[in-house]
Amino acid sequence: MSIGHTLLGLLESGPRHGYDLKRAFDEHFGQDRPLHYGQVYSTMSRLLKNGLVEVDGIEAGAGPERKRYAITDAGVTDVAQWLRSPEKPEPYLHSTLYTKVVLALMTGRDAAELLDTQRAEHLRLMRGLTERKRRGDLADQLICDHALFHLEADLRWLELTAARLDKLAQSVRG
C-alpha cells in the first residue's frame, strides 16, 4: 500500500493534522498494521517537499506546534493517477514456501511434514479471519474475504504440491 497516496486521498476531504491523518488511516486501513506517528510525519514531510501538500496552518498546543496539511492541485492529480493505475498482479513466482519445500527435499528433510505444518497454520489463520469477518462491518468483511481467497489459493497449492511431492523429489534430487 502506498502510504503517501493514502494520506493524500484522506486529505481530499479537507485539511487535517498529522494526528487526524493517523487516526483516519488506522480506522479505515490500519486495523492490522496501524501507522506509527513517525511514518505519518516523515511521509507528510516528503509530500510537502514534493509539492503535493502544503501547510494550511500552524496551531500552538500543549506540546509542539501542530501543522495542518492540505492537499495541493498537484496532490489531487497524483492521487487521481494512482487510483487509475492498475495494481500489478502478484504472481508469487518467488515463493518462500516453494523454496522451503525444494530445500527440504534437497537436504533429505520431511517436505510432507513441512506442508502439513503450513496447512495447519493456514487453516488457523483462516478460522480467525472467518470469525473476524462474521463480527465485522462491510469494510472488514471485504478485507477478510480478500485475505481468505488468497489463503484458499495457497491451500490448493499445498494440496497439489503434496500430491506431486514424490515426483518433485525425483526432479530436485535427480
Side-chain angles (χ1 to χ4, degrees), residues 116-133:
D116 288 342
T117 301
Q118 191 64 50
R119 185 181 306 105
E121 183 61 17
H122 271 61
L123 291 171
R124 183 194 65 74
L125 182 56
M126 290 175 79
R127 283 190 296 275
L129 287 169
T130 300
E131 178 59 24
R132 176 177 164 181
K133 178 181 163 182

Side-chain angles (χ1 to χ4, degrees), residues 6-77:
T6 305
L7 295 177
L8 284 172
L10 291 170
L11 283 172
E12 281 202 52
S13 65
R16 297 181 190 220
H17 296 96
Y19 174 82
D20 297 327
L21 285 167
K22 179 200 175 343
R23 195 174 71 232
F25 181 97
D26 289 352
E27 177 184 335
H28 294 289
F29 311 108
Q31 292 96 345
D32 297 310
R33 277 180 80 186
L35 279 182
H36 296 285
Y37 285 105
Q39 285 179 285
V40 173
Y41 293 110
S42 65
T43 302
M44 295 313 294
S45 177
R46 189 182 77 249
L47 295 172
L48 187 63
K49 179 179 152 195
N50 293 335
L52 301 176
V53 299
E54 61 191 8
V55 175
D56 186 56
I58 299 176
E59 300 169 8
E65 292 180 333
R66 294 179 48 178
K67 291 180 184 175
R68 188 175 54 246
Y69 299 96
I71 192 168
T72 62
D73 289 342
V76 171
T77 300

